[in-house]
Amino acid sequence: MPDQVSAKPRRSIGGWLLIALPYSWLLFFFLAPFFIVFKISLSEIAVAIPPYTPTFDPATGWRGLVKMLGDLSFENYVWLTRDSLYWKSYLSSVSIAAVSTLITLVVGFPIAYGMARAPTEWRTTLLMLVILPFWTSFLIRVYAWIGILKNEGLLNQFLMWLGLIDQPMTILNTNIAVYIGIVYSYLPFLVLPLYANLEKMDASLLEAAADLGCPPWRSFWTITVPLAIPGVIAGCFLVFIPAVGEFVIPDLLGGSETLMIGKTLWTEFFTNRDWPVSSAVAVILLLILVVPIVLFQNQQQKAAEKGL
Amino acid sequence: MRQGPSWFNITSLVLGFSFLYLPIVLLVIYSFNASRLVTVWGGFSTQWYVSLFNNQQLLDAAWVTVRVAFASASIATVLGTLAALVLVRSGRFAGRSLFSGMVYAPLVMPEVILGLSLLLLFVAIDQARGFWTIIIAHTTFAMCYVAVVVQSRLAGFDTSLEEAAQDLGCPPVRTFFSITLPIILPGVVAGWMLAFTLSLDDLVIASFTTGPEATTLPMKIYSQVRLGVTPEINAVCTILVGVVTVVVIFTSLITKRREMQRQQDMRRAEAQG
């Protein structure tokens, strides 16, 4: 494809409208809200609706704006560093997400690899089978694990029937259940980009290696794996970034020991009704995720420009 | 690849797909369980489906959810398709990287952040929350998924067809509707469906952006699940899974058939030319 991005076409009014419509929607409903979150994270909690102060009253004009800016404080951020709950939540979210991403990669790579090696006529069906669970409700798929993992659940019944254990193991409401939940829910996100990558791989490279006497396991490590790296990176980002801020999985499958920042934010907002502190929690979470998100975007952009 | 799948490939596929499907299959089986104890099999029964259809609250929530999903998927499809066109076709313009950043970021942005930020926006502009605020919220993140799906379709697109039409004096809007749209249609349909199911499924963003009068099905399911697993919820989930499965398989068959038809037509046209 010719270099589309560098082309600078003459643009008609229609061309500008085309850009303006989705652009302004995202500016207003995606970007602007972050500034509001930041502003409210600098406010103080108040018993009012909305439950924070200072607020900006447009009627007071410029002077009101100056007064509001003067009243902002970093109190909430200081609070986040003082209470160990918050930084422990951040740390454990990142570590839970990182461990789950690694497990997802270990589980997902053989699946994607198997799909790419399957006969061509199977591939569409296999692809469909990976995508289908992605369409079915996330909440339902997490919920399904409760019935499997609980003490009197199906997994424990099965293991006891096999005679492997003689009394039920506690899995539900532990971090192990959270790992299982994340791996299960995000597996398609990792398998799809990885499969797309492995499938495009030039088979003649492996054939050449085999002809030159390279054993299959060695050509796997020296040819297949390095070529799959872009797919691995894309897949890992797609698992890791949302997993850090996950709420449903730690809430339904995790226990009291499970600290995750998404859950902390939710409790702060819905239970404690402290909007300023939950905004501050969100700002820090965003700062943690900024680097992986920007890396992910660059990668997506590169892939899109290559026409993948 | 020349070599066929090895035993290792087959084993990993079988294990992988069992892992993906077993929980859902078990959920479906146990929704027909006569016993109130969800994990003890007490014989076949459809009683939970019957009690489900007498549960007015649940039915109301389902109706709200479907309407929200329909509206937000439709708006998101229009905006997302435009966004994809901008990304693939508009070349360079001021703020292009900000734009593509805003398209890709919501794909990975934690839902709690999206939900909280939109809620604070609605409060700041003094917008009463409810049905329409959920639609706006869902549109915002779903349009990005649509954009990515349509973009992949546009990227493999032969622009010479459009150029030919424009050279023959076809105005841009008409070129879009008579040439571009039919070709990218499978992507647009897939994008709409993805947006629809994302909205149908969302708990977190809807919880933040809703008001007292609009409760969606995921919110209802969530509050029931927190009280404990009930066979009735298994039945709701089975119906949802069933509907989604049928719709997805159906549309993929249709788009596949259309695609084959189109390729046949192209081949015929080439043979004649």
Side-chain angles (χ1 to χ4, degrees):
Chain A
M1 200 169 305
D3 197 359
Q4 288 175 338
V5 180
S6 60
K8 197 164 189 174
R10 275 177 298 123
R11 222 182 301 280
S12 58
I13 297 172
W16 282 113
L17 257 175
L18 173 73
I19 298 178
L21 207 62
Y23 208 121
S24 48
W25 181 286
L26 285 173
L27 274 182
F28 191 73
F29 290 115
F30 181 68
L31 197 61
F34 288 127
F35 291 101
I36 301 175
V37 171
F38 184 63
K39 187 230 128 183
I40 289 172
S41 73
L42 300 175
S43 314
E44 275 165 36
I45 187 168
V47 189
I49 297 169
Y52 55 84
T53 163
T55 49
F56 173 54
D57 180 3
T60 55
W62 180 247
R63 199 170 280 190
L65 188 67
V66 171
K67 183 181 176 302
M68 183 205 81
L69 289 176
D71 284 345
L72 295 177
S73 75
F74 283 88
E75 198 67 13
N76 294 313
Y77 291 93
V78 177
W79 165 253
L80 290 194
T81 58
R82 265 200 218 120
D83 193 331
S84 66
L85 168 76
Y86 299 103
W87 59 263
K88 275 185 188 153
S89 304
Y90 284 117
L91 276 182
S92 102
S93 297
V94 170
S95 89
I96 288 178
V99 171
S100 318
T101 307
L102 265 181
I103 305 176
T104 316
L105 182 61
V106 171
V107 176
F109 198 100
I111 300 178
Y113 187 56
M115 283 167 68
R117 300 269 303 229
T120 327
E121 61 270 24
W122 291 8
R123 288 190 198 161
T124 336
T125 317
L126 290 174
L127 196 60
M128 193 69 201
L129 281 173
V130 177
I131 296 171
L132 200 59
F134 176 67
W135 293 90
T136 44
S137 170
F138 187 75
L139 183 61
I140 292 174
R141 286 185 294 141
V142 175
Y143 163 76
W145 280 98
I146 299 180
I148 297 173
L149 296 179
K150 55 182 189 172
N151 279 352
E152 63 279 23
L154 298 166
L155 182 62
N156 274 318
Q157 283 180 26
F158 180 67
L159 291 176
M160 274 153 73
W161 178 78
L162 281 181
L164 287 176
I165 50 172
D166 41 15
Q167 53 190 357
M169 296 185 292
T170 312
I171 308 174
L172 189 65
N173 301 329
T174 65
N175 281 352
I176 295 172
V178 178
Y179 292 134
I180 296 176
I182 296 178
V183 172
Y184 178 70
S185 309
Y186 288 98
L187 192 59
F189 289 96
L190 188 119
V191 171
L192 288 177
L194 199 51
Y195 165 74
N197 208 285
L198 287 171
E199 200 223 352
K200 279 198 308 283
M201 223 179 76
D202 190 355
S204 59
L205 288 174
L206 291 179
E207 283 164 21
D211 288 348
L212 295 171
C214 183
W217 62 268
R218 206 164 144 207
S219 54
F220 176 81
W221 282 110
T222 50
I223 301 174
T224 312
V225 172
L227 285 174
I229 292 291
V232 170
I233 294 173
C236 287
F237 277 136
L238 280 171
V239 177
F240 177 76
I241 304 171
V244 172
E246 186 52 55
F247 163 73
V248 177
I249 297 171
D251 189 61
L252 291 182
L253 301 180
S256 47
E257 51 156 323
T258 313
L259 278 177
M260 279 192 85
I261 203 66
K263 210 176 135 190
T264 311
L265 195 157
W266 179 283
T267 325
E268 214 46 81
F269 185 85
F270 285 104
T271 316
N272 302 346
R273 299 198 60 77
D274 192 336
W275 293 19
V277 164
S278 44
S279 301
V281 171
V283 169
I284 304 277
L285 175 55
L286 207 57
L287 285 180
I288 293 177
L289 292 181
V290 141
V291 174
I293 288 177
V294 168
L295 287 175
F296 168 75
Q297 283 171 347
N298 284 342
Q299 219 230 355
Q300 282 288 301
Q301 223 163 335
K302 258 186 240 153
E305 277 161 25
K306 268 191 246 152
L308 298 178
Chain B
M1 282 178 213
R2 194 177 55 180
Q3 302 148 292
S6 63
W7 63 269
F8 174 76
N9 293 141
I10 294 171
T11 323
S12 47
L13 283 179
V14 170
L15 286 179
F17 284 108
S18 333
F19 176 60
L20 278 177
Y21 281 92
L22 210 56
I24 303 174
V25 171
L26 289 173
L27 183 85
V28 171
I29 294 173
Y30 277 85
S31 73
F32 294 103
N33 187 1
S35 164
R36 176 121 217 132
L37 292 166
V38 179
T39 47
V40 179
W41 185 253
F44 181 84
S45 148
T46 50
Q47 57 169 316
W48 307 114
Y49 291 87
V50 177
S51 74
L52 189 66
F53 283 101
N54 295 320
N55 187 336
Q56 194 55 44
Q57 275 189 326
L58 221 53
L59 293 180
D60 288 345
W63 181 228
V64 170
T65 312
V66 169
R67 282 186 302 158
V68 166
F70 191 85
S72 60
S74 306
I75 309 171
T77 303
V78 174
L79 288 170
T81 307
L82 291 181
L85 281 169
V86 171
L87 283 175
V88 180
R89 293 290 172 75
S90 282
R92 269 199 202 134
F93 59 91
R96 187 195 149 90
S97 34
L98 175 65
F99 183 71
S100 66
M102 288 195 299
V103 171
Y104 297 124
L107 302 181
V108 286
M109 190 68 68
E111 289 170 311
V112 281
I113 295 186
L114 285 176
L116 177 73
S117 66
L118 275 159
L119 165 83
L120 295 177
L121 171 80
F122 293 135
V123 171
I125 59 173
D126 223 1
Q127 166 67 47
R129 278 168 289 136
F131 190 70
W132 282 102
T133 47
I134 309 180
I135 292 178
I136 290 176
H138 283 178
T139 302
T140 307
F141 80 95
M143 70 176 273
C144 303
Y145 283 88
V146 176
V148 170
V149 173
V150 175
Q151 176 187 284
S152 68
R153 187 86 200 166
L154 270 171
F157 186 103
D158 184 5
T159 43
S160 60
L161 284 171
E162 289 174 332
E163 282 158 19
Q166 300 215 333
D167 287 347
L168 295 171
C170 185
V173 175
R174 186 142 166 236
T175 312
F176 175 78
F177 280 104
S178 54
I179 293 178
T180 319
L181 190 59
I183 297 180
I184 60 168
L185 197 62
V188 175
V189 172
W192 187 90
M193 298 236 328
L194 186 57
F196 186 83
T197 48
L198 283 170
S199 166
L200 212 60
D201 186 28
D202 166 67
L203 164 75
V204 175
I205 295 171
S207 302
F208 275 102
T209 52
T210 190
E213 90 277 23
T215 305
T216 63
L217 194 56
M219 289 158 71
K220 205 82 207 162
I221 294 175
Y222 173 71
S223 62
Q224 296 255 322
V225 171
R226 297 236 62 188
L227 297 175
V229 175
T230 70
E232 215 171 76
I233 293 299
N234 282 0
V236 183
C237 295
T238 302
I239 293 175
L240 273 176
V241 170
V243 170
V244 169
T245 312
V246 168
V247 173
V248 169
I249 291 176
F250 189 71
T251 28
S252 78
L253 286 180
I254 288 179
T255 45
K256 211 174 178 182
R257 180 175 290 179
R258 274 185 60 109
E259 190 76 343
M260 277 163 71
Q261 182 75 39
R262 199 176 64 87
Q263 277 170 2
Q264 248 172 25
D265 289 349
M266 295 259 282
R267 240 174 279 136
R268 210 172 294 145
E270 267 164 26
Q272 280 170 356

